[in-house]
């Protein structure tokens, strides 16, 4: 199955994007192993998260509508955001993926979702933080936090994404904020605030 997906990807995404996808797959694998999640499921979700990355806006809109997805103003105005939902459709229809947790993790990789599963959390942080994204002190700190406290890493990755969107004058989808707030609350309730060492690295 992995070979078939790789061949498909070679025809549908650029070589640099394929390298990103492989780094996400690898990071998902490491995080799943560390957090005692299903490593195979995490790798599959990582490998398939960006299947529809280069589908044209019209095709994304059409597939989303056929699927019966509700399109709010932001999704209608920025159909690229739909590549997450549409990638899950391709995973299901092209590669026969039936595991709802894998499909959810693919759907949630861009905007997240409050109450998302640990597998979704892994793919969400791996997509933003894979090694190819850079080596700033903040990114290094966030990567470390993914191993120490996964939900805290979702919270701080949400902060990182929101800051990036503000700086680049981009629309912020409400789900990005809802996910960040949920993860922050979870983190504070269940795990206490992030460890001092990880916090220090991130604010450094
Ligand atoms: Fe993506
Ligand atoms: Fe991605």
């Amino acid at each position: 199955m992995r070979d078939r997906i790789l061949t498909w990807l070679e025809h549908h995404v650029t070589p640099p994007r394929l390298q990103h996808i492989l780094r996400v797959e690898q990071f998902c694998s490491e995080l799943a192993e560390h957090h005692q999640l299903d490593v195979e499921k995490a790798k599959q979700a990582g490998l398939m998260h960006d299947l529809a990355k280069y589908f044209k806006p019209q095709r994304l809109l059409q597939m989303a509508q056929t699927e019966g997805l509700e399109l709010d103003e932001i999704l209608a105005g920025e159909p690229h955001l739909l590549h997450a939902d549409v990638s899950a459709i391709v995973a299901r229809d092209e590669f026969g993926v039936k595991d709802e947790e894998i499909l959810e993790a693919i759907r949630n990789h861009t905007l997240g979702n409050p109450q998302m599963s640990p597998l979704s959390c892994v793919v969400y942080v791996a997509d933003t933080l894979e090694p190819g994204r850079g080596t700033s002190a903040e990114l290094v700190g966030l990567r470390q936090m993914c191993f120490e406290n996964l939900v805290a890493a979702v919270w701080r990755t949400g902060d990182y994404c929101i800051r990036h969107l503000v700086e680049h004058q981009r629309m912020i989808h409400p789900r990005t904020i809802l996910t960040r707030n949920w993860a922050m609350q979870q983190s504070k309730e269940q795990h206490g605030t992030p460890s001092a060492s990880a916090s220090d690295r991130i604010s450094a």
Side-chain angles (χ1 to χ4, degrees):
M1 162 112 139
R2 186 171 184 273
D3 285 346
R4 196 155 76 81
I5 297 167
L6 284 174
T7 304
W8 190 95
L9 282 168
E10 279 166 13
H11 290 93
H12 291 85
V13 306
T14 62
R17 177 58 45 175
L18 182 54
Q19 293 309 307
H20 157 76
I21 288 168
L22 293 174
R23 288 189 298 263
V24 171
E25 181 194 32
Q26 174 63 25
F27 199 9
C28 285
S29 169
E30 290 167 20
L31 286 174
E33 187 163 2
H34 180 83
H35 292 292
Q36 295 173 323
L37 303 171
D38 189 316
V39 173
E40 264 319 300
K41 279 166 72 155
K43 285 173 72 173
Q44 283 192 30
L47 189 64
M48 291 186 279
H49 82 281
D50 267 344
L51 289 171
K53 182 77 183 175
Y54 294 104
F55 284 15
K56 298 249 172 358
Q58 201 49 44
R59 185 173 181 193
L60 291 169
L61 283 168
Q62 198 189 352
M63 287 180 72
Q65 274 157 357
T66 305
E67 188 72 9
L69 297 178
E70 258 184 54
L71 296 186
D72 56 39
E73 261 179 45
I74 297 181
L75 294 173
E78 294 203 25
H80 178 67
L81 291 170
L82 291 167
H83 83 271
D85 282 290
V86 174
S87 292
I89 296 172
V90 178
R92 183 194 64 200
D93 295 350
E94 186 79 25
F95 299 109
V97 176
K98 293 193 180 71
D99 188 306
E100 195 49 40
E101 204 188 1
I102 295 176
L103 296 173
E104 275 297 325
I106 296 171
R107 282 183 205 118
N108 289 334
H109 87 263
T110 306
L111 302 177
N113 219 335
Q115 274 96 47
M116 63 185 178
S117 72
L119 192 79
S120 282
C121 290
V122 159
V123 180
Y124 178 81
V125 296
D127 183 42
T128 303
L129 306 174
E130 56 90 353
R133 299 293 198 185
T135 54
S136 67
E138 182 174 23
L139 283 171
V140 171
L142 283 169
R143 277 177 204 129
Q144 186 59 35
M145 193 186 274
C146 291
F147 290 95
E148 292 170 3
N149 185 334
L150 184 58
V151 80
V154 172
W155 159 24
R156 303 300 286 263
T157 299
D159 285 351
Y160 176 83
C161 292
I162 289 165
R163 214 179 319 122
H164 180 88
L165 291 165
V166 169
E167 282 167 7
H168 291 83
Q169 304 183 7
R170 302 268 306 278
M171 297 290 275
I172 301 174
H173 194 280
R175 234 173 76 196
T176 301
I177 295 167
L178 292 172
T179 301
R180 177 267 185 189
N181 287 349
W182 163 76
M184 182 175 76
Q185 246 166 359
Q186 286 290 304
S187 176
K188 287 182 174 177
E189 279 172 20
Q190 293 179 3
H191 303 280
T193 48
S195 71
S197 59
S199 295
D200 287 350
R201 279 196 298 276
I202 281 168
S203 56

